[in-house]
Amino acid sequence: MSTPADHLVVFTPSGKRGRFAEGTSVLEAARKLGVDLDSVCGGRGICGRCKIDVAEGSFSKHGIESRADHVTAWNAVETRYTGKRGDFAPGRRLGCQAKLCGDVVVDVPAESQVHRQVVRKRAEAHPIEIDPVVRLCYVEVAEPDMHDPSSDFRRLQDALAAQWNLPGVTADLPVLAGLQKALRAGGWKVTAAVRQGSRLVAVWPDLREVAYGIAVDIGSTTIAAHLTNLVTGEVVASSGVMNPQIRFGEDLMSRVSYIMMNPGGDRELTSSVREALDGLVGAVTGEAGIAREDVVEVTIVGNPIMHHLVLGLDPVELGGAPFALTIDASYEAPARDLGLRIAPGGFVYALPCIAGHVGADTAGVVLSEGPYLKDELTLLVDVGTNAEIVLGNRERMLACSSPTGPAFEGAQISCGQRAAPGAIERIRIDRDTLEPRYKVVGCDLWSDEAGFDEATAATGVTGICGSGIIEIIAEMYLAGVITQDGVVDGGLASRTPRIEANGRTFSYLIRDGEPRLAITQNDVRAIQLAKAALYAGVKLLMDRYGVERVERITLAGAFGSHIDVTYAMVLGLIPDCDLVKVASAGNAAGTGARIALLNARSRAEIEDVVRRIEKIETALEPAFQAHFVNAMAIPNKVDVFSELGKVVVLPAPREADGPGEGGRRRRRREG
C-alpha cells in the first residue's frame, strides 16, 4: 500500500506508470520504469536532453488530476540552462530538475527520447530506432588525493559505476593514453564514450553531446562513406572514391588471379583498400568540420571478396568451387587494426556474409528492405558484375549469385563506358523513322532539343553507360531493329542508313561523329548473355520456392538505382510483375550499413536472418542451363510477360530479313 508521500506518475506515450516518493526527479522515475527519456549529463541540468511536458487537467483514464505545480518549481539550474541555450517551449521542464510533489502525467516529446525513430527512405520499410552501440556519459570524477592511491582510470570507473550504473568498464591503451589530459582539461568533468556498456572508446573534456559514426559500402569499383550523427541519425557528410584495387584488375576474379600469381598480393590489395577507407574518413570529417576522434564507430558492407580483403583475409578460396568463406558471421575489430584513424578505442563492425558470392552488401540490402518482415513475396536484385539475388518473405528466404559479367557496366560493349559526364544514359528510338534521341549524364536536355550541343560542348558525347545500354537494347527490340532472338535486322537498311553492314552482321548507328557510337551484333549478344545469367538465377530461386510469379521487385545498388525498371523488364532482366511494385532502392547496401550503425539490435537481427537464408549454388543446378537458354530471348522465349504487356506494346516474334550472324538470309516467320 502506498504512503501519503507516494505520488503516481504516468508517462506518455509509453503508458508506463509507477508510484514514487516525494522529491523523486522525473528523470529518476523514468529510468526506474524503463521510460525512454534521454540524458547525457546524468541529471545535472547541463545537456538539456531530458526535456519533458507536464500535462494539466483531469485524466479519468489514469485516475489523475495533473497540474504543473505537482512538480517542483522552476529552479536556478533551469534558469542557467536557458540563459546559455535559449528558452524552452511553454510548459516544458528539465526532467532531472522537476521533482514530484503530486500525481502527474508526463509527456516525453520525440526529441527527448533516446530511441527516437528516423523513417527509412521508403514508406513500406520499417523505421530505424536510434540506439547505437556507443553511448555518451558525462561524469564528474573525484580528484586525486594523497590519502587515496587509486588511479585516474580507477576513479573514472567508479564514477561510471555510481553515476551511470556501468560497472567494470575497460579501456585499451590508446584510450588510456589520453585519459589524464582529458580529466585535467575538463576540471575532472568529462564525457566518456562507452561501447556496449562495457568498453571505453574515447574521453573528452567537459560535456560532449554528439558523437559520429561512418557507414561504408565497399564496392569493387567505388567506395562510398556516410558520416552520420549517432544522436539524430542525420547523414552530415558523404564522399566516394574509386576503389584503388582497380589497378590490380577491373573485376573481382582478376584481382583474385593477381593474388594467386603474386605472393603477397593479398596484402597489397588489403593495404590499398584500407588506405582509401582512411582517406574517406578524412574527407567526410573534413567536410563536416569535425575531428577524426569524434568518430567512434564504423560499419562496413561489401561483396565477399571486398569483405575479406578489407579485414585482411586471403580471398583465394573464393576464386573457385566450393567458394569457401574464411568467416561468414559478422565481425568486429578495433579500427586501428584496419589502419583507420578515428577515436582511439573506436571499432569497425562488418555485417555478415550470406554465401561464397552473396556478401555483406546483400545482407545490408536485406536489412534495409526488410523482406523477412513482410508477407509479400519480394525479389531483391543487386545488379553488378556478379548479380546477388534474394527471394522471400517472412516465411522463407532464398539467395544465390549469378555471373553476369561487366557488360552492364559498359565493359565488353564497343561504345560502353562508366557513368560520367557525356555518357548516354537515356535513349528513345522513333518507331517510324528509327531515328534515336538521347540524354547524357550532366545535361537535362534531349539531343533533339535546342541548346543540347552548347550544353554538352564541354564534355561531348563520349559513350553509353550501363543504364543507357539497357535502354538502347530494349528500344531496339521495341522498334523492331532487333528480333526476339537479338539479331540486328539487316533488312531495315532499306528504311534507314542507321542500319549498317558490319562484316557478316549489322549494327545500329546512334551517333555519327567523334566518337562514332554504334551498337554492334556483338554488343547485343554481350547484353543477352549477361541478362540471361541473371534471369536464370532468379528462375532457380522461384523454382526452389515453388512459385511462378513474384509480388514485388526491388533493384539495388548504384547501377540498379539508375535503371528504368520498365526497360529492365522489356529486356527480360527481371521477371514479369506489376510495374507499380517494381522499384529501385538506390544504395540499399549502404542504408543497411547505416541501420547497423544506428541501431545495436539490428546487428543481432540481420545476423539471425542471414543464418536462416537458404543458399542456392547456381553452378550445381541442372535447370540453370535451360533457364539461361530461354532467357537469351527478349524478353524471354517461354515466360509470358502479361503485366508488362499492359503498359508496353511488345512486338510479335519474328526473324530478321537480312543476313544473320551466320551470313545466311533468313525468311520472315509468320506471327
Side-chain angles (χ1 to χ4, degrees):
M1 181 176 291
S2 64
T3 67
D6 285 345
H7 302 298
L8 178 62
V9 57
V10 176
F11 287 94
T12 61
S14 68
K16 293 181 178 180
R17 59 168 59 205
R19 287 191 174 272
F20 296 91
E22 180 147 349
T24 302
S25 73
V26 171
L27 176 61
E28 183 182 353
R31 284 182 172 169
K32 288 182 177 178
L33 289 174
V35 172
D36 196 9
L37 181 58
D38 201 359
S39 174
V40 170
C41 69
R44 296 172 177 82
I46 300 173
C47 71
R49 295 277 183 81
C50 63
K51 297 185 185 76
I52 50 96
D53 291 315
V54 178
E56 291 202 73
S58 179
F59 296 84
S60 57
K61 176 181 176 181
H62 305 301
I64 289 180
E65 184 74 29
S66 178
R67 296 204 306 269
D69 60 4
H70 284 189
V71 296
T72 53
W74 185 271
N75 65 19
V77 174
E78 290 168 303
T79 299
R80 181 193 66 193
Y81 179 87
T82 55
K84 291 183 177 181
R85 303 289 189 93
D87 291 337
F88 292 173
R92 191 154 289 184
R93 298 288 305 277
L94 289 179
C96 62
Q97 301 302 310
K99 298 179 179 179
L100 301 176
C101 53
D103 294 347
V104 69
V105 174
V106 174
D107 182 62
V108 180
E111 61 267 29
S112 298
Q113 296 170 17
V114 178
H115 304 143
R116 58 183 65 86
Q117 294 184 336
V118 177
V119 176
R120 295 191 195 179
K121 60 191 181 311
R122 296 221 307 273
E124 70 267 25
H126 63 265
I128 306 171
E129 185 179 275
I130 299 179
D131 183 19
V133 295
V134 178
R135 185 177 182 184
L136 300 182
C137 303
Y138 177 80
V139 289
E140 296 179 2
V141 181
E143 297 185 32
D145 189 324
M146 288 292 289
H147 302 290
D148 179 4
S150 63
S151 66
D152 283 350
F153 182 55
R154 173 73 64 190
R155 282 179 275 106
L156 174 61
Q157 287 178 307
D158 292 343
L160 286 167
Q163 298 168 35
W164 288 94
N165 193 29
L166 297 174
V169 170
T170 62
D172 293 340
L173 279 174
V175 183
L176 293 175
L179 175 62
Q180 292 192 317
K181 287 183 179 179
L183 284 168
R184 284 154 182 81
W188 308 99
K189 298 173 183 177
V190 295
T191 301
V194 182
R195 189 175 192 268
Q196 295 177 329
S198 63
R199 194 179 195 117
L200 193 64
V201 171
V203 182
W204 297 285
D206 301 315
L207 176 68
R208 178 69 64 98
E209 296 189 70
V210 178
Y212 297 88
I214 299 178
V216 184
D217 181 8
I218 307 173
S220 56
T221 304
T222 57
I223 306 173
H226 307 284
L227 179 68
T228 305
N229 183 317
L230 295 182
V231 175
T232 65
E234 175 191 6
V235 175
V236 295
S238 295
S239 185
V241 66
M242 294 294 289
N243 189 328
Q245 292 180 347
I246 286 176
R247 68 178 182 267
F248 300 102
E250 281 274 338
D251 59 83
L252 295 172
M253 286 302 105
S254 62
R255 295 177 204 178
V256 172
S257 297
Y258 177 86
I259 294 170
M260 295 172 70
M261 296 169 62
N262 296 274
D266 58 317
R267 293 191 293 275
E268 287 184 81
L269 269 74
T270 291
S271 176
S272 67
V273 73
R274 287 180 175 179
E275 288 175 8
L277 276 182
D278 191 58
L280 279 176
V281 171
V284 292
T285 53
E287 181 183 337
I290 66 169
R292 283 175 170 262
E293 292 72 21
D294 293 338
V295 177
V296 296
E297 187 87 2
V298 175
T299 55
I300 60 173
V301 296
N303 62 61
I305 290 175
M306 289 299 99
H307 168 277
H308 274 39
L309 284 171
V310 76
L311 292 180
L313 304 174
D314 190 335
V316 163
E317 292 299 325
L318 294 171
F323 312 110
L325 293 156
T326 300
I327 182 174
D328 56 6
S330 61
Y331 191 79
E332 58 183 32
R336 60 183 178 274
D337 288 358
L338 274 65
L340 301 187
R341 293 170 291 157
I342 59 172
F347 266 71
V348 172
Y349 172 86
L351 274 72
C353 289
I354 297 173
H357 283 297
V358 187
D361 50 353
T362 304
V365 173
V366 171
L367 180 60
S368 172
E369 297 303 306
Y372 55 91
L373 300 169
K374 304 169 185 174
D375 294 319
E376 209 170 28
L377 186 61
T378 300
L379 176 69
L380 303 178
V381 183
D382 192 342
V383 186
T385 304
N386 189 69
E388 298 177 355
I389 309 163
V390 176
L391 175 69
N393 55 17
R394 67 172 75 250
E395 300 297 328
R396 187 184 180 196
M397 299 280 290
L398 306 173
C400 74
S401 65
S402 197
T404 54
F408 290 138
E409 296 177 355
Q412 299 178 341
I413 305 299
S414 60
C415 54
Q417 68 163 86
R418 298 195 187 282
I424 293 175
E425 61 175 343
R426 294 282 178 263
I427 193 162
R428 302 290 182 268
I429 297 176
D430 186 277
R431 302 297 185 261
D432 297 321
T433 65
L434 303 184
E435 284 296 300
R437 60 190 185 97
Y438 48 82
K439 294 178 75 171
V440 300
V441 176
C443 179
D444 292 329
L445 298 174
W446 286 88
S447 59
D448 60 346
E449 291 184 292
F452 175 82
D453 291 339
E454 293 77 8
T456 58
T459 61
V461 179
T462 54
I464 309 178
C465 66
S467 61
I469 289 166
I470 285 179
E471 289 198 10
I472 184 58
I473 303 298
E475 276 283 301
M476 287 170 69
Y477 171 65
L478 293 175
V481 175
I482 58 176
T483 67
Q484 184 184 36
D485 291 328
V487 176
V488 180
D489 190 350
L492 295 176
S494 59
R495 284 180 54 191
T496 173
R498 292 191 177 275
I499 303 296
E500 301 177 325
N502 185 8
R504 298 171 67 187
T505 61
F506 289 85
S507 61
Y508 174 74
L509 179 65
I510 297 172
R511 180 177 184 270
D512 197 4
E514 185 57 41
R516 196 170 192 270
L517 306 179
I519 297 295
T520 68
Q521 184 65 67
N522 285 340
D523 295 336
V524 177
R525 282 289 176 260
I527 293 298
Q528 284 180 280
L529 290 167
K531 73 99 174 181
L534 192 155
Y535 192 90
V538 171
K539 288 290 289 185
L540 284 179
L541 295 189
M542 293 172 68
D543 289 348
R544 183 66 63 91
Y545 205 98
V547 296
E548 295 184 357
R549 302 189 66 81
V550 299
E551 297 172 283
R552 180 173 295 276
I553 301 175
T554 299
L555 299 176
F559 178 47
S561 67
H562 291 93
I563 297 174
D564 184 307
V565 296
T566 302
Y567 284 108
M569 195 175 291
V570 169
L571 186 62
L573 189 69
I574 52 178
D576 191 47
C577 182
D578 181 355
L579 279 163
V580 172
K581 294 189 175 183
V582 183
S584 297
N587 184 16
T591 300
R594 189 167 68 90
I595 293 168
L597 182 68
L598 290 170
N599 184 270
R601 289 191 295 277
S602 71
R603 300 184 180 188
E605 181 180 322
I606 191 59
E607 289 159 11
D608 174 65
V609 170
V610 163
R611 297 285 69 80
R612 292 188 281 112
I613 294 176
E614 301 171 43
K615 295 85 177 176
I616 310 300
E617 180 52 61
T618 55
L620 302 178
E621 293 293 323
F624 182 86
Q625 189 62 29
H627 287 315
F628 179 86
V629 170
N630 290 330
M632 283 291 290
I634 303 174
N636 194 279
K637 183 65 74 176
V638 296
D639 288 353
V640 176
F641 282 71
S642 55
E643 292 293 335
L644 177 63
K646 294 176 182 178
V647 295
V648 175
V649 178
L650 297 175
R654 64 181 182 84
E655 291 185 354
D657 281 345
E661 291 173 275
R664 299 186 309 273
R665 188 171 183 84
R666 298 179 177 178
R667 291 187 300 108
R668 182 183 298 272
R669 185 174 59 198
E670 295 302 321

